Amino acid sequence: MSNVPKEAIEVIAQSIGITNLSPDVALALAPDVEYRVREIMQEAIKCMRHSRRTVLTTDDVDSALNLRNVEPICGFASRDALRFKKAAGHKDLFYIDDKDVEFKEVLESPLPKAPLDTSVTSHWLAIEGIQPAIPENASIEAPSDGKKAEYKEDGLSVDVKLPIKHVLSRELQVARNLNNFPLMFALMRVARSLLQNEHLHIEPYLHQLMPSIITCLVAKRLGNKFTENHWELRNFAAKLVASICKRFGHVYHNLQPRVTRTLLHAFLDPTKTFPQHYGAIQGLAALGPSVVRLLILPNLEAYLQLLEPEIKRHEAWCVYGALLRAAGLCMYDRLKMFPSLLAPPTRPVWKSNNKVATNKRKASTDTLMQQQPPAKKIATESAIGGSNIGVSSMSRPLSNDNMLGREVGGRVSKTSTVLAQAWKEDTDPGNLLASLFELFGESMLSFTPKPELSFFL
Amino acid sequence: MENMQAVNSFVAAYLKKKGFKEAEQLLEDLQKESAPIDFHNDPDLAKFIHHFSQSEDDVARYQDGYSKLRSWTYSSLDLYKHELLRVLYPVFIHSFMDLVAKGHLQEARTFFNAFHEDHELMHSRDLQKLEGVLSQSHLEEMEFARSLRQNKVNIKICQYSYGLLLQYLHKTQSTAMLGVINEHINFQVTSGQPGSISDDTEVVTLIGSCQDAASLINQKEIHWGLLEDSLEERLEKEGGLLSDSEKAEAENKEGDVDDSKKRSVEGGKQGASTKKLKKDKAVNATAKSARPEAKPTPAAPRVKPELTLPVMSTEVEQSILEDLRNRVQLSSVALPSVSFYTFLNTHNGLNCSSISQDGSLVAGGFSDSSLKVWDMAKLGQQAGSSTLQGENDSTSSEHVAGPNGVKRSYTLFQGHSGPVYSATFSPLGDFILSSSADTTIRLWSTKLNANLVCYKGHNYPVWDVQFSPVGHYFASSSHDRTARIWSMDRIQPLRIMAGHLSDVDCVQWHANCNYIATGSSDRTVRLWDVQSGECVRIFIGHRSMILSLAMSPDGRYMASGDEDGTIMMWDLSSGQCVTPLMGHTSCVWSLAFSCEGTVLASGSADCTVKLWDVKTSTKAPKNEEKSGNPNRLRSLKTLATKSSPVYSLRFSRRNLLFAAGVLSKNV
């Protein structure tokens, strides 16, 4: 009747030095041993339950023995699980592999880290019965649940809802469709439409939407055909991100910081490809001039050095154009704000830069400059009428190929200092302009507001 | 084998001689089944049986044997106890009838008187009949007795229980009992786990009793109404913000009659003593199960307090009234907000947690004997408060500053010498009680950060301790199978509630402080009268150890949660289960009713908080009670935590739900 075989009793007897145990004794002891074990287990389980646990530990067994006024068993408090090994040559005989430990090793081993002290944190598990999607809560596994909830909440008609459900689920699959360029572009447009629709309560799904959009912004490859203009998609996604940040930033305070952190990481990682850098720059630029001043300008010079060896490549040119535009718009913004502070324009040797400038202009025309035709025109005019009146505040003539940052040390440091200070509100836009001009040449001028520019003319 | 053969043949011959056909049959059956439990293969047994045949007339053997069997059964393993207990009743009645049959009438009477109380609960009617058996001829005449003698009792029993019983009978040489059992009981041995305690009813009907288990106790009258002159009631009378349902309550007639009196009492602030004088008032809140069809009362009736209640200060009263006015009305469509407190870095040491009424204090009891209390209000502004805290607590610097002078985020209470199994805040949050494996309960002051009293009384680990809803009194439950009532100012318990057959695992106060409920490892929940210390209800139905209890604020219902994840909702007046609530997959550690009693929250080891619609579950089955098909309690919402089993739950007076749990990696 017993689960404890008499062999077990015999083994135990041997282990404590009783060799002449008669089989009858073992047979009689076995059921009693089982009963005692069951009894201890019953108490141990109670102790486990009252410790609010579902896993039985050696401590529980010790507590149970304590309850029965039995000496606790020592030597099993180790954190590692005990391993029972099969004794060789025996079918049902197991033993615990108990290794000898050298005192010296134990003493010499470094002390373990002090455990962290217990603490309590609080968060909202639910607000009026609805679980907010915050990191402290378990993720909602089935988005369809959320859809249903939304369906109940706002009383919009069904035919509007159904397509949304469909599209959003496709939306979540952007990562799988990275090669399907038209689909991705369509999805981004859908996302924009969703965001623009004021009647939709899109906020709960932002966390699902954002990763897809950011993917379209800084993915390594978008589309698989050369003809597909992924630059355009990135521009579009950048604007989308910016619009989301603008609309929901005040509700979710960590939204924009998280976006910018992601983009900045992409921007500053030299191992990333140029299209990725391009997306990051565009994304940051779309968030406004202050973000550009804070995050792009301080890194601008170093980045241009990185870019320079690759400048012949189309991709690098695109990145260069994006940077140019970002910096330029930022400067434009500053100049607008402090027109009176305008410093003399920076016009170093124009002709020596001719080739580069033309190239640059071409690149920027291709990619971004469509939005700026008037300024562009003026810039061109000014370039054509290129007199040397505007002597740069740092009017050292530049040698032909120095344009992209091969300046002499002192010069560089000054430029970077100015750029590094660019985030400050009271930065002199003139200095900024000068520094930027130094890096970008006269194409910077295209961003100078018309009245100010005319001042130089 | 020869030995066994000899014994078998001897036994068979003996049985034949005595005409015990059934027993003979049973023996044959047993042999045929070739059960693994082979008690014939025992040389000693032969001796017993020889012995038995010689001294069968020994009357004392019955009394002695039965009393030993009884005490052995009561001390057996919880898991098998209820099965073994079933054996006692048939053994009892047949021992009695054997004695009568053999003409030992006087001894039979003594035997009956000594033990009949055990079975009074389940079989009172049968016992009344048997009590009238005064001679051998009665046994022949009385149809009931005759049928008992002629038929065998079928008892379903699991293999291990059966083995235990036989083993016991061998060891103690109680051949009289063995004879009775062989003669009158037909065991249906099942392999595997023991059956559920709720199968007991089956046994009861088999042996001819038509009474439901525990029904006698459950017929006692209880006053489940709320305390009169409660703050809620006063608020309603003041015409505060009333919902429609509460208006109906305010029209309570008794309330109107007493109104003027109460006002005067209120003014005099002598409430506690003068309330006693109003005992002459007829109490209209009695609910007898004898007539459960009593007209449905729209609101909870009012009852007098049986205890002297502590007097509440005016400021406290005002703040509570303020809370009541600002209470959010919860329902199946308006679910509560839940604030979750997560314990981090507990290293598997957290045994229990408790949250104060307003959620500002959180206590944790640890297996390293310590009790730690976090002030959540201060935690929010950590940087600024650390210095402030140091200044405030300079009197008890050892509580705040660690040995290295490192500031802790909590207040450490040290004093217990064993794992702390339970902690409870007083209603105002100024005291904490903790119970521990060191058999003591300690009272701590959160204002002074010091231990005030150590209550010694239990003899074994104290599993649970709970403050009464009005404070001052508290109840504790222990491994010593008792629950005790204490007051803060006495170090001895005021009442000891004994009756559970195993550990009392949890305890909870009724809303009117006149009753406490206890849940036990014997798988029953009992309701006790605080004043008399009597058990007034037994709730049978759970299939495993009870871990949590909650009383509805209207005092009418009780919820209990067990180890398997089942929650049962009980009607206190009838003692019947309203509906079982399935949903959790693991231990239900905590239960809490919302303040107006519309929502039940349950927290479980399966890392979820579930919200249940209580109104539909308690109202709807009322109508279809007869059909015997109670509809399931509706689960409103399951809130999953991030791998944090939920240890405790608490609704604030404004119906914000606080939950606490520990972040564990291995769940």
Side-chain angles (χ1 to χ4, degrees):
Chain A
M1 65 159 284
S2 168
N3 286 332
V4 178
K6 77 178 199 324
E7 287 79 15
I9 305 296
E10 282 163 1
V11 169
I12 294 167
Q14 275 174 21
S15 71
I16 56 171
I18 303 170
T19 47
N20 56 344
L21 188 80
S22 79
D24 292 347
V25 174
L27 209 57
L29 274 176
D32 194 52
V33 166
E34 181 179 348
Y35 183 84
R36 296 298 153 199
V37 169
R38 281 172 183 269
E39 191 181 8
I40 295 299
M41 280 304 122
Q42 172 189 306
E43 303 304 320
I45 287 168
K46 280 178 195 164
C47 291
M48 169 184 81
R49 291 301 181 211
H50 286 286
S51 301
R52 303 277 194 279
R53 269 185 278 108
T54 45
V55 179
L56 195 71
T57 66
T58 50
D59 287 342
D60 295 324
V61 179
D62 279 350
S63 314
L65 291 169
N66 215 1
L67 276 180
R68 285 276 171 270
N69 264 334
V70 183
E71 292 230 351
I73 309 169
C74 297
F76 294 93
S78 158
R79 199 179 304 163
D80 311 325
L82 295 169
R83 289 252 173 92
F84 285 89
K85 290 195 171 177
K86 211 173 231 181
H90 296 269
K91 203 170 58 170
D92 295 337
L93 191 56
F94 294 87
Y95 68 100
I96 297 167
D97 191 18
D98 212 358
K99 276 185 202 146
D100 287 337
V101 182
E102 284 285 330
F103 260 126
K104 211 177 156 203
E105 277 176 31
V106 176
L107 288 175
E108 278 174 358
S109 64
L111 286 175
K113 257 195 208 166
L116 291 169
D117 203 358
T118 311
S119 61
V120 176
T121 60
S122 68
H123 71 270
W124 288 108
L125 182 65
I127 294 169
E128 292 177 356
I130 295 166
Q131 285 193 281
I134 49 175
E136 288 89 346
N137 281 337
S139 56
I140 303 156
E141 55 271 57
S144 58
D145 282 1
K147 289 294 166 310
K148 272 179 206 156
E150 186 198 42
Y151 189 83
K152 275 179 207 160
E153 275 160 23
D154 44 21
L156 288 182
S157 54
V158 180
D159 51 333
V160 174
K161 282 295 164 184
L162 285 176
I164 288 168
K165 193 171 173 180
H166 173 71
V167 171
L168 272 187
S169 62
R170 295 287 287 276
E171 179 63 29
L172 287 170
Q173 297 167 2
V174 158
R176 274 180 239 154
N177 289 317
L178 280 181
N179 287 329
N180 192 343
F181 183 80
L183 177 66
M184 274 189 295
F185 217 125
L187 285 173
M188 284 300 114
R189 288 201 193 95
V190 167
R192 188 183 65 173
S193 311
L194 286 172
L195 285 164
Q196 281 175 347
N197 190 340
E198 289 184 359
H199 299 289
L200 280 181
H201 186 57
I202 196 85
E203 276 165 80
Y205 313 107
L206 271 185
H207 67 282
Q208 296 175 353
L209 214 48
M210 282 307 280
S212 308
I213 300 176
I214 301 267
T215 304
C216 285
L217 187 55
V218 292
K220 200 170 174 182
R221 272 184 74 85
L222 291 169
N224 48 6
K225 279 182 230 143
F226 185 70
T227 51
E228 286 164 351
N229 190 355
H230 66 92
W231 308 103
E232 199 181 333
L233 177 58
R234 289 177 202 270
N235 291 345
F236 189 85
K239 270 186 265 170
L240 207 52
V241 169
S243 72
I244 290 174
C245 286
K246 197 175 160 198
R247 187 169 154 197
F248 299 106
H250 62 282
V251 188
Y252 301 100
H253 291 288
N254 62 349
L255 179 63
Q256 186 166 340
R258 275 165 66 186
V259 169
T260 48
R261 202 180 313 130
T262 314
L263 294 177
L264 191 63
H265 275 301
F267 174 50
L268 293 182
D269 188 348
T271 60
K272 295 242 158 69
T273 62
F274 282 122
Q276 283 174 291
H277 286 157
Y278 176 85
I281 294 166
Q282 285 293 69
L284 288 169
L287 290 172
S290 54
V291 175
V292 175
R293 271 191 293 138
L294 182 64
L295 298 172
I296 296 191
L297 292 191
N299 302 309
L300 186 59
E301 192 166 5
Y303 186 80
L304 285 175
Q305 281 181 16
L306 183 83
L307 194 62
E308 199 259 334
E310 305 278 338
I311 201 70
K312 299 277 186 257
R313 284 171 53 194
H314 174 67
E315 288 178 343
W317 264 115
C318 289
V319 175
Y320 184 83
L323 272 177
L324 176 66
R325 177 170 170 261
L329 284 179
C330 164
M331 190 193 64
Y332 177 80
D333 174 70
R334 298 307 294 168
L335 287 175
K336 272 279 223 211
M337 211 176 285
F338 305 101
S340 58
L341 290 178
L342 186 69
T346 52
R347 301 295 304 271
V349 195
W350 152 243
K351 279 178 185 165
S352 61
N353 299 332
N354 198 9
K355 187 178 145 224
V356 177
T358 321
N359 280 349
K360 244 182 288 177
R361 209 178 303 142
K362 198 179 162 207
S364 40
T365 314
D366 287 341
T367 54
L368 331 141
M369 289 300 134
Q370 292 92 336
Q371 297 99 331
Q372 302 271 340
K376 167 78 180 132
K377 201 176 164 198
I378 289 161
T380 322
E381 281 164 4
S382 78
I384 291 163
S387 54
N388 280 339
I389 34 164
V391 178
S392 161
S393 54
M394 7 182 145
S395 58
R396 212 142 44 112
L398 297 175
S399 60
N400 194 9
D401 287 319
N402 275 357
M403 208 40 127
L404 301 176
R406 277 193 209 151
E407 271 91 356
V408 216
R411 180 76 174 282
V412 174
S413 66
K414 192 174 178 192
T415 314
S416 47
T417 323
V418 172
L419 289 179
Q421 299 288 317
W423 57 273
K424 288 186 183 166
E425 280 302 319
D426 54 356
T427 314
D428 183 353
N431 281 342
L432 187 63
L433 175 59
S435 313
L436 288 175
F437 185 83
E438 210 162 292
L439 293 175
F440 287 111
E442 85 290 349
S443 42
M444 221 359 85
L445 289 180
S446 55
F447 294 97
T448 323
K450 197 172 175 184
E452 282 78 14
L453 196 68
S454 63
F455 171 76
F456 303 116
L457 296 171
Chain B
M1 283 312 278
E2 297 162 10
N3 202 352
M4 185 181 155
Q5 287 295 337
V7 171
N8 279 345
S9 57
F10 180 82
V11 171
Y14 172 78
L15 291 175
K16 196 163 276 177
K17 187 183 86 184
K18 286 278 178 178
F20 294 151
K21 291 204 183 73
E22 289 90 348
E24 199 181 347
Q25 192 63 40
L26 178 70
L27 186 67
E28 276 175 29
D29 289 346
L30 275 175
Q31 282 166 357
K32 273 179 208 159
E33 280 168 18
S34 68
I37 313 138
D38 199 354
F39 64 93
H40 304 291
N41 192 10
D42 186 349
D44 289 355
L45 189 65
K47 263 184 267 163
F48 297 164
I49 292 171
H50 285 297
H51 189 60
F52 174 60
S53 56
Q54 286 154 14
S55 59
E56 57 182 294
D57 296 330
D58 194 352
V59 178
R61 298 187 69 82
Y62 279 99
Q63 181 133 10
D64 197 38
Y66 181 77
S67 102
K68 276 184 186 157
L69 177 68
R70 177 172 166 271
S71 56
W72 172 79
T73 310
Y74 278 115
S75 64
S76 60
L77 291 174
D78 285 348
L79 191 57
Y80 307 103
K81 191 183 286 176
H82 66 270
E83 287 197 336
L84 295 172
L85 280 174
R86 290 178 201 165
V87 179
L88 279 186
Y89 176 67
V91 172
F92 170 73
I93 51 172
H94 286 286
S95 297
F96 171 69
M97 287 187 286
D98 277 359
L99 285 173
V100 173
K102 285 169 186 163
H104 305 290
L105 296 178
Q106 193 53 45
E107 289 82 352
R109 178 71 28 217
T110 330
F111 178 77
F112 187 87
N113 290 339
F115 300 112
H116 78 277
E117 280 181 356
D118 290 351
H119 311 288
E120 197 77 9
L121 173 63
M122 307 267 258
H123 313 282
S124 63
R125 204 182 287 176
D126 296 353
L127 290 178
Q128 277 166 11
K129 281 184 198 162
L130 284 177
E131 210 171 0
V133 177
L134 295 172
S135 74
Q136 288 120 306
S137 57
H138 288 164
L139 285 179
E140 302 294 322
E141 289 164 20
M142 188 190 282
E143 199 185 333
F144 175 64
R146 211 169 56 229
S147 74
L148 281 177
R149 297 297 272 179
Q150 281 168 358
N151 295 319
K152 277 197 169 194
V153 178
N154 284 314
I155 293 185
K156 221 187 235 175
I157 192 166
C158 82
Q159 207 163 46
Y160 191 74
S161 301
Y162 186 58
L164 281 179
L165 181 65
L166 290 182
Q167 205 184 335
Y168 165 79
L169 293 171
H170 290 189
K171 264 189 200 157
T172 53
Q173 312 188 355
S174 49
T175 43
M177 293 302 109
L178 188 62
V180 171
I181 288 170
N182 277 340
E183 200 173 337
H184 299 289
I185 300 178
N186 186 19
F187 285 111
Q188 298 170 327
V189 182
T190 58
S191 57
Q193 289 299 303
S196 155
I197 188 171
S198 53
D199 297 344
D200 269 346
T201 46
E202 193 185 332
V203 175
V204 172
T205 49
L206 275 174
I207 50 180
S209 166
C210 54
Q211 274 189 305
D212 204 356
S215 62
L216 193 73
I217 279 194
N218 288 358
Q219 274 178 348
K220 290 181 187 171
E221 95 182 355
I222 66 163
H223 310 272
W224 51 266
L226 295 182
L227 284 184
E228 57 183 25
D229 197 25
S230 69
L231 280 170
E232 280 93 343
E233 202 182 10
R234 259 186 263 169
L235 182 70
E236 284 150 19
K237 277 184 201 134
E238 279 164 24
L241 304 165
L242 283 187
S243 74
D244 289 345
S245 64
E246 281 174 334
K247 264 178 191 152
E249 208 171 329
E251 288 165 12
N252 193 331
K253 274 181 190 154
E254 200 205 7
D256 292 340
V257 176
D258 277 352
D259 198 16
S260 54
K261 275 189 191 174
K262 272 173 201 156
R263 289 296 155 104
S264 63
V265 168
E266 212 176 317
K269 280 287 161 256
Q270 298 290 323
S273 53
T274 38
K275 267 177 212 161
K276 284 274 173 195
L277 301 176
K278 299 194 281 180
K279 282 260 170 177
D280 55 337
K281 276 272 163 201
V283 178
N284 66 350
T286 60
K288 289 186 184 176
S289 62
R291 42 181 190 88
E293 312 303 323
K295 61 177 169 57
T297 39
R302 303 287 157 179
V303 297
K304 318 270 181 202
E306 287 176 16
L307 299 170
T308 318
L309 299 182
V311 182
M312 215 181 277
S313 78
T314 330
E315 301 94 74
V316 173
E317 215 166 79
Q318 285 309 317
S319 79
I320 294 177
L321 283 173
E322 182 65 27
D323 281 344
L324 293 182
R325 280 191 205 100
N326 289 315
R327 176 178 292 172
V328 181
Q329 295 294 322
L330 297 183
S331 67
S332 51
V333 287
L335 294 177
S337 297
V338 188
S339 178
F340 197 84
Y341 295 142
T342 313
F343 286 83
L344 304 170
N345 309 317
T346 57
H347 311 289
N348 260 338
L350 186 73
N351 286 351
C352 64
S353 75
S354 178
I355 304 165
S356 67
Q357 177 65 256
D358 59 356
S360 64
L361 295 174
V362 184
F366 290 79
S367 56
D368 63 1
S369 317
S370 65
L371 178 73
K372 297 172 184 174
V373 178
W374 282 263
D375 189 332
M376 298 312 286
K378 278 181 192 164
L379 220 60
Q381 27 160 5
Q382 249 162 357
S385 69
S386 60
T387 53
L388 188 75
Q389 202 178 4
E391 284 161 22
N392 286 349
D393 298 336
S394 55
T395 48
S396 57
S397 55
E398 76 275 9
H399 291 309
V400 176
N404 312 328
V406 182
K407 289 280 190 290
R408 295 197 184 106
S409 61
Y410 53 83
T411 317
L412 179 65
F413 292 110
Q414 277 176 318
H416 281 296
S417 60
V420 178
Y421 285 125
S422 173
T424 173
F425 280 96
S426 70
L428 302 180
D430 42 1
F431 297 107
I432 308 175
L433 280 167
S434 61
S435 72
S436 158
D438 65 8
T439 75
T440 65
I441 301 160
R442 282 176 188 266
L443 178 73
W444 313 83
S445 163
T446 53
K447 298 262 156 56
L448 303 171
N449 288 343
N451 187 200
L452 303 179
V453 193
C454 175
Y455 301 96
K456 294 174 183 171
H458 284 290
N459 303 319
Y460 279 103
V462 188
W463 295 135
D464 196 12
V465 62
Q466 288 295 330
F467 256 113
S468 75
V470 294
H472 190 69
Y473 299 98
F474 60 94
S476 63
S477 70
S478 162
H479 177 70
D480 65 13
R481 303 184 181 184
T482 64
R484 301 180 189 215
I485 305 284
W486 313 69
S487 72
M488 274 164 63
D489 54 354
R490 278 161 215 265
I491 56 167
Q492 295 297 328
L494 304 177
R495 294 286 182 280
I496 298 180
M497 277 76 172
H500 274 297
L501 300 179
S502 187
D503 300 38
V504 187
D505 294 302
C506 52
V507 63
Q508 193 56 256
W509 286 81
H510 189 267
N512 65 15
C513 297
N514 292 338
Y515 301 95
I516 61 163
T518 54
S520 164
S521 290
D522 68 11
R523 305 166 193 190
T524 62
V525 179
R526 292 180 189 230
L527 192 72
W528 309 81
D529 187 323
V530 167
Q531 190 59 41
S532 66
E534 274 178 5
C535 178
V536 289
R537 286 288 181 278
I538 299 181
F539 304 92
I540 299 173
H542 276 290
R543 285 159 184 270
S544 56
M545 169 179 178
I546 320 283
L547 294 169
S548 51
L549 291 168
M551 293 280 192
S552 75
D554 64 3
R556 182 142 192 207
Y557 299 101
M558 176 176 69
S560 57
D562 71 11
E563 222 177 1
D564 298 341
T566 310
I567 301 167
M568 290 203 162
M569 185 74 94
W570 307 92
D571 187 331
L572 288 187
S573 55
S574 69
Q576 298 296 310
C577 179
V578 179
T579 172
L581 315 178
M582 314 296 201
H584 283 297
T585 54
S586 188
C587 308
V588 180
W589 297 133
S590 183
L591 289 166
F593 276 98
S594 70
C595 293
E596 70 278 68
T598 48
V599 172
L600 174 72
S602 60
S604 160
D606 63 11
C607 301
T608 56
V609 174
K610 280 184 192 287
L611 301 172
W612 308 85
D613 188 354
V614 181
K615 280 299 165 223
T616 56
S617 73
T618 51
K619 291 274 161 63
K622 271 275 145 200
N623 311 329
E624 44 188 292
E625 211 166 36
K626 303 237 166 47
S627 68
N629 184 23
N631 45 349
R632 285 273 159 80
L633 212 159
R634 197 155 69 98
S635 172
L636 289 176
K637 187 92 184 171
T638 301
L639 303 168
T641 66
K642 207 171 185 180
S643 61
S644 309
V646 183
Y647 281 16
S648 61
L649 292 168
R650 162 83 96 154
F651 273 99
S652 78
R653 285 195 198 91
R654 299 187 182 193
N655 266 342
L656 175 62
L657 179 59
F658 294 102
V662 61
L663 184 68
S664 63
K665 283 160 197 112
N666 51 4
V667 173

